[in-house]
Amino acid sequence: GESVGLHLPTLSVQEGDNSIINCAYSNSASDYFIWYKQESGKGPQFIIDIRSNMDKRQGQRVTVLLNKTVKHLSLQIAATQPGDSAVYFCAESSGNNRLAFGKGNQVVVIP
Amino acid sequence: DVKVTQSSRYLVKRTGEKVFLECVQDMDHENMFWYRQDPGLGLRLIYFSYDVKMKEKGDIPEGYSVSREKKERFSLILESASTNQTSMYLCASSLNLNTEAFFGQGTRLTVV
């Protein structure tokens, strides 16, 4: 929603540059991870997911990297566009039917 | 496309009122969820349901209850609304374990 971005870490990136958003997770039993994008006034939208048997997965202009050793997840956005301005959340699941979300990162694209 | 529809975008209720937030999904998903979202706190799970008439508490169930009488509908109930329940409420559904959850557009509830 419109106030989601308050108090969040903010990444400002020039249009056309690549963006990297990082996420640390805490549960070593988590085996499924998702990145969501939330634009102002909307619900979160699925971007890309990855399972723990992989360390990299690519989508259209996005790549997710998973480092299980240090419990770290990252989302890379290539050639960032103004429409990429949003709050980005990582989420993890350990197969217990629930997703645990991070607090989010605000991305601001500078034209 | 999966569609998760929440009945209201904005609600204003008075302290002590009983409040119903409704959510409907159209993809025959087994699991449905209610989250609340507050600045700086991210999304916190209130309740979820993995089948009709089944429910489980999430991380912050106090002050809330839920109802799932039909597979496509999951209701969140605030028995006696309080000002600290002013928040954005998000409903989601997923097909099964370890698949992505699809979200509704959210209901911004203000309790005065």
Side-chain angles (χ1 to χ4, degrees):
Chain A
E2 52 272 26
S3 64
V4 168
L6 292 177
H7 316 300
L8 293 178
T10 299
L11 172 68
S12 296
V13 59
Q14 204 72 37
E15 182 178 356
D17 287 352
N18 297 334
S19 305
I20 299 177
I21 308 161
N22 296 302
C23 179
Y25 64 94
S26 56
N27 186 355
S28 56
S30 292
D31 57 3
Y32 178 61
F33 305 87
I34 307 178
W35 279 100
Y36 283 91
K37 172 186 180 183
Q38 187 176 26
E39 296 174 274
S40 182
K42 297 183 179 179
Q45 291 176 279
F46 171 85
I47 303 173
I48 192 167
D49 59 1
I50 189 167
R51 299 190 187 279
S52 58
N53 60 350
M54 303 173 70
D55 52 21
K56 180 179 180 179
R57 190 158 188 236
Q58 287 185 286
Q60 188 176 14
R61 277 202 311 119
V62 293
T63 301
V64 55
L65 299 177
L66 174 63
N67 185 331
K68 294 180 287 293
T69 304
V70 296
K71 297 202 285 284
H72 184 267
L73 193 68
S74 68
L75 178 71
Q76 299 177 2
I77 305 173
T80 311
Q81 302 169 358
D84 295 326
S85 291
V87 176
Y88 290 80
F89 293 96
C90 63
E92 58 179 300
S93 171
S94 58
N96 59 353
N97 240 352
R98 60 172 76 185
L99 287 171
F101 284 80
K103 291 185 171 42
N105 287 268
Q106 175 92 52
V107 171
V108 176
V109 180
I110 303 164
Chain B
D1 281 349
V2 175
K3 192 160 185 190
V4 179
T5 304
Q6 295 180 229
S7 53
S8 304
R9 289 297 304 273
Y10 299 95
L11 275 179
V12 180
K13 296 291 182 180
R14 293 194 182 279
T15 301
E17 276 193 78
K18 189 169 186 175
V19 181
F20 293 85
L21 302 183
E22 306 287 349
C23 176
V24 176
Q25 51 96 2
D26 65 359
M27 283 300 291
D28 204 34
H29 282 175
E30 302 293 329
N31 305 310
M32 295 188 75
F33 309 84
W34 275 105
Y35 291 87
R36 64 177 281 177
Q37 184 175 30
D38 301 287
L41 296 178
L43 279 76
R44 293 180 291 166
L45 182 64
I46 305 171
Y47 267 98
F48 69 100
S49 168
Y50 51 89
D51 202 351
V52 175
K53 297 192 187 296
M54 306 301 287
K55 61 184 179 184
E56 280 200 27
K57 292 180 180 179
D59 300 316
I60 50 163
E62 295 79 18
Y64 303 94
S65 62
V66 290
S67 172
R68 192 154 181 216
E69 295 297 317
K70 294 184 178 181
K71 193 175 187 180
E72 67 271 17
R73 185 179 297 269
F74 192 35
S75 303
L76 179 71
I77 304 152
L78 287 66
E79 296 290 341
S80 177
S82 64
T83 54
N84 63 12
Q85 292 179 308
T86 291
S87 187
M88 169 71 85
Y89 289 87
L90 290 161
C91 174
S93 73
S94 69
L95 180 60
N96 49 37
L97 285 178
N98 281 5
T99 58
E100 73 263 33
F102 295 86
F103 283 84
Q105 78 279 22
T107 296
R108 181 160 293 282
L109 172 67
T110 303
V111 183
V112 297

